[in-house]
Amino acid sequence: MAQHVARLVRVLARPRQHGLLHAGAQGTGRCTAITLAAGICQTRLFRLPCGSEEAILGCLREVSWHAGILGQPVALLVPKGVDHTTLHRLLALATSGSFPDLYTEADLENIEGHLPRDSLIAKQNIKKEILLQRFCHQVRSHLHMFILIGDDQAHDQLPSTLFLRLLQLAIASTDRYEPWDQDSLVAVAQHHLKGVQSPPLDDDPLRFPDIQASVSSVAKAMALIHLSAASDQGHLCPELPLVTPKTFLDFLDTFVLQQQWMTLHIKNRAQRIQNALRNLKMLIEKHSAHTTLVFNLEEQLKGSHKSLGRLNHQLDQIKILYKRQLTECRQQENLIENLTKQRDALKAQYEAFLEQVSSSYHLPCTDPLSEGDNLS
């Protein structure tokens, strides 16, 4: 592929150079090579449509405008399958800068008005034919056509004279493109994958899969996948360019994007797991602290239970002592009550005795106990 691109770059670097790109099968990378070469040379790339004649003429007018008026190098990609009339018109455009019925009178006046001139006097003196000749010369100098043909066109469909004129036009670059073999696919895949940036290696304990360590095996697997798809496509629909070098490059880009997305996804999940483990560690530490606190509280509760039991025992002893003292007090009260009754009985007997004595001796009745109490 690099050699093909280099040849196309040489064609674009020189004026009035064209290319004839021949291939025996679809998907050989011709369009990709032209796109790369045009990007390297900073050339505007146009693709000739395969639709109506008006669309084809409109594209050719736009190409001629950029080449003749703007003076910019342009590349025109002519796809496979264009009719013979279009090929003859392209040959005339490449050799003469124009062909009949390409421009209307309005187009010619527009071209004449936009062509640069040296001065106002020169603008008035230069004839219209000279301006158009200058325009056609600019078109021939800045236009580069790349015509894609296949084996069927070269052998059967194209007339020999037309094919000979195409060969003469593209004498500077007539190249044949073959499908990429397995070694080429592996080399392209390895070069593409080696340019992928690996995840940064830091002190993070998490390690992500590094694609650089398995570039060879991955490149070989991708090459085999591409060849298998190309084989299936050749059996199912050989006319459609479904498996091409561009699709292989897109496959590589998709693989790289998917690998980067998976790496980022794994990294995010690992970060979430780390955060969860960190939170779990904090919860375990808090649980340990709470467990220690509960253990201390249980020990305090056990001590309080022991103190409560001891105090309850003391309270029971005090209650027993209280009951004993209460019983003794009641006994003392009963004793005092009995003594009081005995005293009252003795007093009554004494009073009765005094009354008897006083009545016998006619003495005043006095209460010696009362007097004794008063004296005391």
Side-chain angles (χ1 to χ4, degrees):
M1 175 59 72
Q3 295 177 356
H4 293 303
V5 174
R7 296 190 188 100
L8 296 175
V9 169
R10 285 197 295 268
V11 171
L12 293 173
R14 294 180 294 178
R16 300 188 182 186
Q17 298 295 315
H18 309 279
L20 187 64
L21 282 61
H22 183 264
Q26 295 283 350
T28 55
R30 292 177 293 179
C31 296
T32 303
I34 294 173
T35 303
L36 291 174
I40 293 173
C41 296
Q42 297 182 353
T43 301
R44 179 73 179 273
L45 178 62
F46 292 88
R47 288 177 170 82
L48 188 69
C50 296
S52 62
E53 182 179 1
E54 184 61 31
I56 294 174
L57 293 177
C59 178
L60 295 179
R61 292 190 193 100
E62 186 177 2
V63 169
S64 300
W65 180 270
H66 280 80
I69 300 297
L70 303 180
Q72 299 176 353
V74 293
L76 178 62
L77 177 60
V78 181
K80 175 185 174 182
V82 296
D83 55 14
H84 297 171
T85 303
T86 303
L87 289 176
H88 283 291
R89 288 175 175 175
L90 293 174
L91 288 171
L93 184 64
T95 55
S96 303
S98 180
F99 57 85
D101 300 330
L102 177 60
Y103 303 109
T104 62
E105 290 296 330
D107 294 333
L108 294 176
E109 292 179 359
N110 189 24
I111 291 172
E112 182 183 0
H114 285 83
L115 276 174
R117 308 188 189 190
D118 297 334
S119 63
L120 182 61
I121 299 176
K123 183 176 180 180
Q124 295 175 353
N125 295 331
I126 294 177
K127 295 182 179 180
K128 182 177 181 179
E129 291 77 6
I130 298 177
L131 290 176
L132 293 179
Q133 289 178 4
R134 181 187 298 178
F135 172 76
C136 293
H137 176 75
Q138 288 284 92
V139 172
R140 292 195 305 270
S141 299
H142 294 97
L143 175 62
H144 304 277
M145 288 192 300
F146 297 97
I147 304 172
L148 309 183
I149 63 171
D151 287 342
D152 51 354
Q153 286 180 296
H155 295 161
D156 302 325
Q157 297 180 5
L158 290 179
S160 58
T161 55
L162 179 58
F163 185 63
L164 181 60
R165 291 187 62 189
L166 291 175
L167 289 175
Q168 292 174 351
L169 177 68
I171 192 66
S173 177
T174 300
D175 207 353
R176 179 174 177 83
Y177 286 68
E178 296 290 345
W180 291 0
D181 56 4
Q182 182 175 348
D183 294 336
S184 300
L185 292 172
V186 171
V188 170
Q190 287 180 348
H191 179 74
H192 194 83
L193 295 177
K194 286 180 180 178
V196 178
Q197 293 183 354
S198 301
L201 298 177
D202 47 16
D203 296 334
D204 193 353
L206 297 175
R207 291 293 180 265
F208 304 102
D210 187 7
I211 191 175
Q212 300 300 330
S214 57
V215 166
S216 300
S217 58
V218 173
K220 185 176 180 180
M222 299 181 79
L224 292 176
I225 291 173
H226 180 79
L227 292 176
S228 176
S231 177
D232 292 340
Q233 184 260 338
H235 289 291
L236 297 176
C237 47
E239 297 299 328
L240 297 178
L242 300 179
V243 183
T244 64
K246 185 178 183 302
T247 59
F248 182 67
L249 296 177
D250 293 340
F251 177 42
L252 293 175
D253 292 335
T254 304
F255 173 80
V256 171
L257 291 176
Q258 186 69 18
Q259 190 266 343
Q260 292 176 350
W261 179 85
M262 290 180 63
T263 300
L264 182 61
H265 183 65
I266 293 173
K267 186 174 182 179
N268 292 335
R269 291 190 63 182
Q271 189 64 38
R272 289 198 297 269
I273 292 174
Q274 276 190 333
N275 294 335
L277 291 176
R278 192 179 299 111
N279 295 334
L280 180 61
K281 184 178 179 180
M282 293 175 59
L283 291 176
I284 291 175
E285 292 176 354
K286 290 182 179 180
H287 177 71
S288 300
H290 291 165
T291 302
T292 304
L293 179 61
V294 170
F295 178 77
N296 295 332
L297 292 176
E298 287 179 350
E299 292 295 327
Q300 293 179 7
L301 183 61
K302 289 180 181 179
S304 300
H305 277 298
K306 291 180 180 180
S307 300
L308 181 61
R310 186 169 56 254
L311 292 175
N312 286 332
H313 180 69
Q314 293 178 1
L315 181 61
D316 293 338
Q317 296 294 330
I318 292 173
K319 286 181 178 180
I320 293 172
L321 180 62
Y322 170 75
K323 290 180 180 180
R324 185 182 303 157
Q325 291 178 353
L326 182 62
T327 303
E328 291 178 356
C329 289
R330 288 177 180 175
Q331 291 176 357
Q332 292 293 332
E333 288 178 354
N334 292 331
L335 179 60
I336 292 172
E337 185 178 358
N338 293 331
L339 291 175
T340 302
K341 289 179 179 180
Q342 291 178 5
R343 188 197 67 174
D344 293 338
L346 290 174
K347 185 177 180 180
Q349 291 177 3
Y350 178 74
E351 290 177 354
F353 178 73
L354 287 179
E355 287 180 358
Q356 291 178 2
V357 171
S358 61
S359 62
S360 298
Y361 294 98
H362 301 283
L363 295 174
C365 184
T366 59
D367 189 357
L369 294 176
S370 300
E371 291 178 358
D373 293 336
N374 293 329
L375 290 175
S376 61

